[in-house]
């Protein structure tokens, strides 16, 4: 394993690999990518770590990719700020003893339950520096939103899983942490009933910061200022007064949503784990097909995200979706592509990007297409 200590050293390593057509597996904390080939050269970003700059007043953070997410969250908490898109720690379901890093979060566009309110990781990414598959050092974006002009390469890099370049620096927008929070739990609901509740709640002005379903219970998270949360809670309880409703306090809410985000309900299992992005209105029909396969599932993003753990091939899972994407997060013995093959137009655009940034296809080869 190679562990360059600087951007220049990383550039030289990749340029050499490009000239020799040597495949490289990009390794951060080792908590997001399975199945590296033993023939790959493994490159770690662990030594590319540390905070470059943090301006709480500007709500801007510049950090290197190998920095542990936990360190960033602790630093932001001291200023009553946070990464609002709340990235998940999936070590409980993926195994391993690595440490999640911010580079892995950005590379995977990892976004938690609050995405339906504040957007995904890529929506908080203001700028990037990275080394592409030729060894070129590239920079895009700025330190504040008003300076982000031209082609936004950050949006391209975010979610590319290291197939276009290796991040060396990311600029993220931070936001104030919620002052108050609570959760309304509505037990005894089917998926279709839960989606109806989500649709009604999300159509209100009450800033729902989480809408998830697990084991027959729908959860609505409310966040805001100290006086806002009780008011919003009262209004929502009045909307659903014909249903049983339990209130969960702030401490319980934080524990609950951490558990939902990190998929504790699938910890200790070994079956394939799938992440399905769908239209919320399709969730009821899709979960009905998944139930026929014999696995378990939960919902997030108001029904737009389904987690499925259980038997079934990629062909079966993708056939269950009228539209959307199915991504294999944990193989558990499953074969076939981890990512849904893109339609022809998207495939051509992706191929053009790869030819531009990694023409020799040495960076995480095959990860997103096999």
């Amino acid at each position: 394993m190679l562990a360059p200590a600087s951007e220049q050293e990383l550039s030289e390593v990749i340029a050499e690999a490009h000239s020799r057509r040597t495949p490289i597996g990009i390794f951060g904390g080792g908590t997001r990518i399975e199945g590296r080939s033993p023939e790959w050269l493994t490159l770690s970003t662990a030594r590319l770590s540390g905070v470059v700059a943090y301006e709480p007043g500007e709500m801007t953070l510049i950090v290197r990719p190998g920095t542990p997410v936990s360190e960033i969250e602790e630093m932001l908490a001291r200023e009553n700020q946070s990464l609002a898109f709340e990235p998940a720690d999936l070590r409980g379901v993926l195994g391993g003893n690595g440490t999640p890093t911010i580079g892995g979060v950005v590379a995977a566009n990892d976004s938690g339950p609050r995405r339906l309110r504040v957007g995904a990781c890529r929506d908080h990414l203001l700028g990037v520096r990275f080394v592409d598959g030729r060894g070129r050092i590239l920079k895009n974006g700025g330190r504040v939103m008003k300076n982000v002009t031209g082609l936004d390469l950050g949006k391209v890099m975010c979610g590319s899983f290291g197939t276009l370049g290796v991040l060396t620096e990311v600029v993220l927008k931070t936001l104030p942490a919620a002052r108050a929070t609570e959760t309304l739990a509505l037990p005894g609901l089917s998926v279709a009933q839960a989606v109806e509740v989500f649709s009604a709640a999300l159509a209100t002005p009450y800033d729902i910061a989480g809408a998830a379903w697990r084991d027959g219970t729908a959860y609505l998270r409310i966040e805001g200022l100290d006086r806002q949360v009780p008011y919003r809670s009262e209004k929502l309880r009045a909307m659903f007064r014909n249903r049983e409703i339990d209130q969960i306090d702030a401490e319980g809410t934080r524990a609950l949503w951490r558990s939902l985000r990190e998929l504790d309900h699938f910890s200790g299992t070994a079956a394939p784990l799938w992440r399905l992005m769908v239209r919320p209105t399709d969730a009821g029909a899709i979960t009905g097909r998944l139930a026929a396969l014999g696995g378990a599932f939960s919902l997030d993003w108001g029904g737009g995200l389904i987690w499925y753990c259980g038997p079934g091939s990629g062909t079966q899972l993708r056939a269950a979706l009228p539209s959307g994407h199915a991504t294999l997060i944990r193989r558990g013995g499953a074969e076939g592509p981890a990512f849904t093959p893109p339609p022809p137009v998207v495939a051509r655009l992706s191929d053009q990007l790869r030819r531009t940034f990694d023409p020799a296809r040495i960076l995480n080869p095959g990860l997103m297409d096999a």
Side-chain angles (χ1 to χ4, degrees):
M1 181 183 293
L2 296 178
S6 68
E7 185 179 68
Q8 184 58 44
E9 188 177 340
L10 173 65
S11 172
E12 293 168 1
V13 168
I14 294 181
E16 176 68 14
H18 171 75
S19 67
R20 297 176 178 272
R21 300 299 192 267
T22 302
I24 299 177
I26 314 303
F27 185 94
T31 62
R32 298 182 186 278
I33 298 175
E34 294 182 310
R36 291 179 180 80
S37 168
E39 290 81 25
W40 288 10
L41 173 67
T42 302
L43 190 150
S44 170
T45 61
R47 296 175 68 191
L48 298 172
S49 179
V51 175
V52 177
Y54 172 42
E55 297 292 341
E58 298 291 336
M59 293 190 291
T60 303
L61 170 68
I62 307 175
V63 64
R64 298 187 181 94
T67 309
V69 175
S70 59
E71 292 184 9
I72 294 173
E73 291 177 332
E74 289 171 6
M75 179 185 69
L76 296 181
R78 290 194 290 270
E79 298 292 338
N80 295 315
Q81 294 187 353
S82 68
L83 297 174
F85 54 91
E86 54 182 342
D89 181 349
L90 297 182
R91 283 177 290 182
V93 291
L94 295 181
N97 55 5
T99 301
T101 64
I102 195 64
V105 168
V106 173
N109 189 32
D110 185 16
S111 312
R114 205 179 284 112
R115 176 177 180 167
L116 56 75
R117 180 184 175 194
V118 302
C121 172
R122 62 164 50 97
D123 299 307
H124 297 253
L125 186 65
L126 301 179
V128 292
R129 288 179 67 97
F130 65 98
V131 177
D132 74 358
R134 304 171 188 252
R136 299 179 298 181
I137 298 173
L138 303 175
K139 175 185 176 182
N140 183 249
R143 296 193 176 199
V144 293
M145 186 65 71
K146 65 183 180 181
N147 288 340
V148 180
T149 59
L151 180 63
D152 193 347
L153 294 182
K155 298 294 191 293
V156 175
M157 292 293 294
C158 195
S160 67
F161 284 84
T163 58
L164 299 177
V166 182
L167 294 166
T168 59
E169 200 171 274
V170 297
V171 185
L172 290 163
K173 175 176 62 176
T174 63
L175 288 178
R179 292 278 299 274
T181 183
E182 74 171 50
T183 296
L184 301 182
L186 291 80
L189 300 186
S190 67
V191 168
Q193 291 171 325
V195 170
E196 289 180 3
V197 167
F198 297 154
S199 298
L202 291 168
T204 70
Y206 304 135
D207 286 340
I208 303 300
W213 177 95
R214 180 176 73 184
D215 298 332
T217 299
Y219 299 100
L220 294 172
R221 180 172 57 181
I222 311 164
E223 291 180 341
L225 300 177
D226 294 334
R227 296 177 63 181
Q228 289 176 324
V229 169
Y231 172 80
R232 292 169 178 171
S233 175
E234 180 183 356
K235 291 295 185 181
L236 288 166
R237 282 185 282 116
M239 281 182 60
F240 304 116
R241 57 183 174 273
N242 295 327
R243 298 189 181 278
E244 179 184 351
I245 300 177
D246 298 321
Q247 284 182 262
I248 302 174
D249 64 15
E251 183 178 352
T253 287
R254 285 187 283 271
L256 169 68
W257 288 90
R258 185 182 306 111
S259 175
L260 290 168
R261 181 174 73 243
E262 298 179 2
L263 304 180
D264 287 350
H265 46 296
F266 294 138
S267 294
T269 62
L273 177 64
W274 292 84
R275 181 177 184 265
L276 313 178
M277 297 180 65
V278 304
R279 285 196 300 260
T281 51
D282 292 334
I286 291 170
T287 52
R289 299 181 192 120
L290 297 178
L293 295 177
F297 48 83
S298 61
L299 272 62
D300 204 341
W301 301 352
L305 171 61
I306 301 173
W307 292 100
Y308 171 75
C309 181
S313 66
T315 300
Q316 290 174 306
L317 265 292
R318 291 175 179 122
L321 307 183
S323 62
H325 302 273
T327 303
L328 184 57
I329 300 298
R330 181 182 65 199
R331 286 201 170 270
E335 301 292 337
F339 292 81
T340 297
V345 172
V346 177
R348 286 196 296 272
L349 290 172
S350 297
D351 185 62
Q352 290 171 4
L353 287 170
R354 290 293 292 273
R355 288 201 303 268
T356 299
F357 294 107
D358 183 22
R361 293 182 180 265
I362 63 170
L363 300 179
N364 284 342
L367 177 64
M368 297 193 73
D369 51 19

